[in-house]
Amino acid sequence: MRKKIIAGNWKMYKLPNEAIKYIEEIAPMVADTTHEVVLCVPYVDLFYTLLTTQGTNIKIGAQNMHYETQGAYTGEISGEMLKSIGTQYVIIGHSERRQYYNETDETVSLKLKKAIECELKPIFCVGETLEQRESGKTEEIIKTQVKIGLSKLEKTQVNNITIAYEPIWAIGTGKTATAEDANNTIKSIRTEIANLYGSDIANEIIILYGGSVKPENAKELFNMSDIDGGLVGGASLNAEEFSKIVNYLKVI
Ligand code: PGA
């Protein structure tokens, strides 16, 4: 049985004082969940949220990292730096980073390798644009992203990765893929993983859906056979709303 992961992606929102208040508010609301609860926060919030989540079941992640250990890379943060303060997760290859900061499948593959070396848990994002979807290229695009992204890892490292399938047209737009559509694309990711690494790894690897997940649609999405939870942007900014997504089984 694969466990469910419900991860929030705060993007460029929340000052440290707001982050601390949020954690204090949400911690008791998600204390009895059996799901893994993760919040991926801006760099300056990492230390504060790591302190505030001590003694809770909430895990903290960053939203990006560099693939080198150190060097003259002004403005960058390394995996070692994230690990040194106790960060547990890191999002790699989010579509906003691919779109605005020139991340490619190649840089994503270097970052995934480094994140694993640093013993961070990467949430590796893949997804197609509307144009690619409308021209029937979804599966081809996603398979290429998965294949190149994972290409620098040893076979034994692959199921330390969590994949997040996030159709770009569904991010922040209020449009969600239908649960069947999302499940089918995620199934095709599993098929690709099976082709590359064998069916055991394909059955074990955790694959999330992301793109306008809300309390109202979480249950339908997360109950699908191959969807192992979600990566949640906008709806993770409000503690009550995000707690309802974590506790989706209780939402009527
Ligand atoms: P959204 O963002 O939930 O606001 O659509 C998801 C994401 O970008 O990870």
Side-chain angles (χ1 to χ4, degrees), residues 9 11 94 96 166 170-173 210-213 231-235:
N9 172 13
K11 308 193 179 185
H94 190 277
E96 284 151 17
E166 300 205 302
I171 296 179
T173 56
S212 298
V213 175
L231 182 57
V232 186

Side-chain angles (χ1 to χ4, degrees), residues 110-152:
L110 290 165
K111 290 181 180 197
L112 286 174
K113 180 170 186 275
K114 188 61 172 176
I116 294 290
E117 270 170 33
C118 292
E119 294 177 354
L120 292 162
K121 295 180 180 168
I123 300 176
F124 163 35
C125 301
V126 296
E128 82 286 1
T129 63
L130 189 56
E131 201 190 340
Q132 289 163 339
R133 184 178 191 85
E134 285 175 347
S135 54
K137 294 208 181 101
T138 301
E139 276 201 22
E140 181 191 329
I141 295 287
I142 306 286
K143 284 185 176 176
T144 306
Q145 289 174 342
V146 167
K147 189 174 175 183
I148 304 179
L150 299 178
S151 62
K152 295 195 170 51

